[in-house]
Amino acid sequence: MAEPKTKYDRQLRIWGEQGQAALEKASICLLNCGPTGSETLKNLVLGGVGSITVIDGSKVEVSDLGNNFMVDESSVGQSKAKCVCAFLQELNDAVKAKFIEEHPEALIETNPSFFSQFTLVVATQLVEDSMVKLDKICREANVKLIFARSYGLTGFVRVSVKEHTVIESKPDHFLDDLRLNNPWPELKSFAETIDLNVADPVAHKHTPYVIILVKMAEEWAKTHGGSLPSTRDEKKQFKELLKAGMVATDEENYKEAIEASFKVFAPRGISLDLQQIISDSCTEVDSNSSQFWVMLAALKEFIVNEGGGEAPLEGSIPDMTSSTELYVNLQKIYQAKAEADYLVIEQRVKNILKKIGRDPDGISKTMIKSFCKNARKLKVCRYRLLEDEFSNPSLPQLQKYLTDEDYSVAMGFYILLRAVDRFTANYNSFPGQFDGEMDEDISRLKTTAVGLLSDLGCNGSPLTEDLINEMCRFGASELHAVAAFIGGVASQEVIKLITRQFVPISGTFIFNGIDHKSQLLAL
């Protein structure tokens, strides 16, 4: 067997050793191993999750051979859970795999405590009634839950967890933490040792843009009552001052300073998102509080006291035109400040843990360092109970989606995916499932969908005939291409939840295979 570092090399570059360790400890339960479930689990097995348990009470049929790569002709008539489990095990022998030949609906009804042993449950192809019941079970057991379903040319993915906190949110675009608009004393002192009017042209063109901006911003503040550029004209004037400082046209450092000047104009202090998080009632910690909220309570104290309104410094600087000596010295100043901030937070964490009757060393230094480094990017995700969303969705949002040209098809599919479950409860089959009943099924599904909309308070919001016809034409089939896509999205969300990196989707993700669109509905 390949060494884990070699085997998982590519993904380790994305979520690191900590993320991989979390995956390897995870225990995943899959409900229903049709194409959607199999594709989801395939991605997770290849990713190296610790263990999987496949639950499905059905046998492999000839029709399964056309849309599920995890079964073959020799599997026909055998337990689907057993066959899929065996195929998945072949993909990665480091993953512990077992199966239970039982229908998930029966397990939900008769043995709800069964699910408490897992890190996360992936529930595929469940009808609404079972989804609602499972959601309550997993919430009570504090087990993460992801619903996934493919249905013809549509499908959905929905995350359900009471609260999910993220330290390493890894946003695509985020402003460097350079504090050019609010430099600390050591950075100011270092900048004062450097002369921007140095006669040596080589030295002039190798002064880091960070120093240029800190010094120029200080000069500006002296002549503007302590304020930095804020209006459009002031920002323009500031850039002109930077241009005037150039002594040659090829000075890349000054060009970098002009391009990065917006970092001087950025407002001081913490973002609105972080303000909202530190204002959360969970920062009033007690002995049951999670490590995240204990660290957040320490962060809140730091911002008010030592931080002077700022979060701890990240401590890294981007590449820039500079002499090696100046760059290394600048890097050391940023690292020293970040380390000092970390030590303050660490002490505050210890004090809080002691105060609430827990081990003062109960949170590792690695965890606190990661928290400090990512303090500006923290995320808290909370999800509505599925039953609440189904019985009492946000009516303004619902009406907006139904009437918005961009969202009307996605919203139509959302309603129809719920309507087909009502249809099934009434008629014991999915619309369009059997030949010869199409016209009658279209009429029945339309009546069911109108009734559902009426129950939700959306009278007079008809769905298009074309969409209803398509839903019946799907006949509850799982097309492999759609199942693979939905499975890919679902497995991606599983990894986010387990590694606690990146931000999981909020709301219901709807795939519209007719128009090749994916959208999130927040209801």
Side-chain angles (χ1 to χ4, degrees):
M1 188 177 78
E3 280 293 313
K5 279 194 176 181
T6 309
K7 188 176 188 176
Y8 302 125
D9 177 64
R10 286 170 69 187
Q11 62 205 49
L12 280 166
R13 295 163 196 247
I14 300 170
W15 52 71
E17 290 186 21
Q18 262 186 306
Q20 190 61 36
L23 275 178
E24 288 172 16
K25 284 179 193 165
S27 172
I28 309 289
C29 175
L30 173 71
L31 303 186
N32 290 319
C33 58
T36 309
S38 297
E39 287 292 332
T40 305
L41 215 48
K42 175 202 74 179
N43 298 328
L44 298 173
V45 166
L46 290 170
V49 292
S51 66
I52 58 168
T53 302
V54 180
I55 297 167
D56 196 315
S58 61
K59 304 289 184 187
V60 178
E61 298 176 11
V62 174
S63 58
D64 293 317
L65 305 181
N67 65 0
N68 194 340
F69 286 137
M70 302 298 153
V71 295
D72 59 20
E73 288 180 6
S74 66
S75 310
V76 175
Q78 294 185 44
S79 158
K80 192 184 286 185
K82 181 182 178 181
C83 295
V84 168
C85 198
F87 270 86
L88 289 170
Q89 182 84 76
E90 284 181 26
L91 295 176
N92 190 345
D93 55 7
V95 176
K96 294 172 188 167
K98 67 175 183 177
F99 67 93
I100 296 173
E101 197 176 347
E102 188 171 347
H103 291 289
E105 294 81 1
L107 204 55
I108 292 166
E109 290 288 346
T110 60
N111 191 7
S113 62
F114 169 82
F115 298 100
S116 61
Q117 64 185 293
F118 300 105
T119 310
L120 185 145
V121 175
V122 179
T124 68
Q125 307 305 106
L126 290 183
V127 294
E128 188 172 308
D129 183 52
S130 296
M131 285 168 64
V132 167
K133 287 174 183 171
L134 182 62
D135 192 28
K136 286 180 181 173
I137 291 166
C138 289
R139 287 280 174 117
E140 282 175 24
N142 204 24
V143 172
K144 299 173 180 68
L145 175 62
I146 289 183
F147 293 106
R149 186 177 188 180
S150 64
Y151 195 104
L153 289 173
T154 186
F156 75 84
V157 176
R158 167 83 150 66
V159 173
S160 187
V161 58
K162 197 183 293 183
E163 179 183 276
H164 179 70
T165 54
V166 186
I167 293 174
E168 295 184 59
S169 62
K170 300 185 178 180
D172 289 335
H173 306 288
F174 212 81
L175 202 60
D176 296 316
D177 191 14
L178 298 176
R179 304 286 163 90
L180 303 179
N181 56 356
N182 193 10
W184 61 98
E186 291 81 2
L187 180 58
K188 279 185 178 178
S189 300
F190 180 63
E192 283 166 11
T193 65
I194 296 165
D195 182 10
L196 292 186
N197 299 314
V198 63
D200 181 358
V202 176
H204 193 269
K205 66 167 65 173
H206 286 89
T207 303
Y209 81 76
V210 167
I211 300 302
I212 296 169
L213 288 173
V214 166
K215 289 180 78 72
M216 296 292 270
E218 193 172 14
E219 287 297 316
W220 176 280
K222 281 178 186 174
T223 57
H224 290 80
S227 299
L228 292 171
S230 57
T231 66
R232 190 173 177 177
D233 283 342
E234 285 178 342
K235 291 172 184 178
K236 191 177 177 183
Q237 285 173 39
F238 186 78
K239 287 182 180 180
E240 291 300 326
L241 283 175
L242 290 169
K243 281 181 187 173
M246 295 175 74
V247 295
T249 56
D250 64 342
E251 292 191 315
E252 290 299 323
N253 56 337
Y254 273 83
K255 290 176 186 176
E256 287 170 3
I258 293 164
E259 283 177 13
S261 59
F262 70 93
K263 295 173 185 177
V264 173
F265 316 145
R268 291 177 177 176
I270 60 173
S271 67
L272 289 173
D273 283 350
L274 187 53
Q275 283 177 33
Q276 196 175 352
I277 294 172
I278 65 170
S279 302
D280 197 290
S281 60
C282 289
T283 54
E284 303 298 323
V285 294
D286 57 32
S287 58
N288 297 316
S289 295
S290 70
Q291 292 187 344
F292 177 88
W293 288 110
V294 170
M295 290 188 289
L296 205 80
L299 173 64
K300 187 175 182 178
E301 291 177 4
F302 174 90
I303 291 168
V304 172
N305 298 289
E306 299 87 355
E310 298 276 7
L313 190 76
E314 283 180 29
S316 58
I317 58 174
D319 291 340
M320 62 189 79
T321 303
S322 169
S323 67
T324 304
E325 184 185 356
L326 285 179
Y327 186 84
V328 169
N329 288 337
L330 191 63
Q331 200 170 41
K332 284 177 181 174
I333 288 165
Y334 274 85
Q335 287 169 348
K337 167 68 172 163
E339 181 67 15
D341 287 354
Y342 152 71
L343 290 171
V344 173
I345 295 260
E346 183 190 32
Q347 190 55 53
R348 287 194 172 277
V349 167
K350 286 183 176 184
N351 294 344
I352 290 168
L353 286 169
K354 191 174 180 182
K355 187 178 169 186
I356 60 176
R358 278 161 58 178
D359 177 7
D361 297 313
I363 302 178
S364 71
K365 290 177 185 288
T366 308
M367 175 75 85
I368 300 170
K369 276 204 167 171
S370 176
F371 183 88
C372 290
K373 189 178 179 183
N374 294 285
R376 297 185 309 137
K377 307 164 192 169
L378 303 173
K379 292 287 178 187
V380 176
C381 310
R382 293 185 175 118
Y383 298 86
R384 287 187 78 182
L385 198 62
L386 207 59
E387 187 176 39
D388 292 346
E389 181 185 311
F390 285 168
S391 60
N392 188 27
S394 167
L395 199 56
Q397 283 291 91
L398 190 59
Q399 288 170 331
K400 178 190 159 196
Y401 289 140
L402 283 166
T403 53
D404 187 322
E405 193 177 327
D406 285 339
Y407 280 89
S408 59
V409 176
M411 192 66 231
F413 275 136
Y414 176 90
I415 293 296
L416 287 169
L417 282 164
R418 292 191 58 195
V420 296
D421 289 344
R422 279 197 180 188
F423 182 105
T424 309
N426 292 332
Y427 304 109
N428 294 317
S429 68
F430 286 102
Q433 194 170 0
F434 300 112
D435 293 339
E437 298 178 10
M438 185 65 81
D439 290 343
E440 190 178 5
D441 282 357
I442 288 171
S443 175
R444 284 172 170 175
L445 182 59
K446 184 178 180 179
T447 304
T448 307
V450 169
L452 174 59
L453 282 167
S454 177
D455 291 347
L456 297 175
C458 278
N459 294 315
S461 300
L463 301 170
T464 66
E465 296 282 342
D466 284 350
L467 213 54
I468 294 167
N469 291 352
E470 280 299 302
M471 210 66 184
C472 287
R473 196 170 68 86
F474 295 159
S477 60
E478 281 185 85
L479 305 178
H480 180 261
V482 177
F485 180 79
I486 294 293
V489 174
S491 56
Q492 180 175 278
E493 298 311 307
V494 170
I495 288 168
K496 289 179 189 176
L497 290 174
I498 290 172
T499 61
R500 289 190 176 272
Q501 295 179 28
F502 303 96
V503 183
I505 53 175
S506 59
T508 303
F509 171 92
I510 298 283
F511 174 64
N512 164 9
I514 295 172
D515 299 319
H516 309 289
K517 283 170 81 174
S518 302
Q519 287 165 308
L520 274 174
L521 304 178
L523 295 163

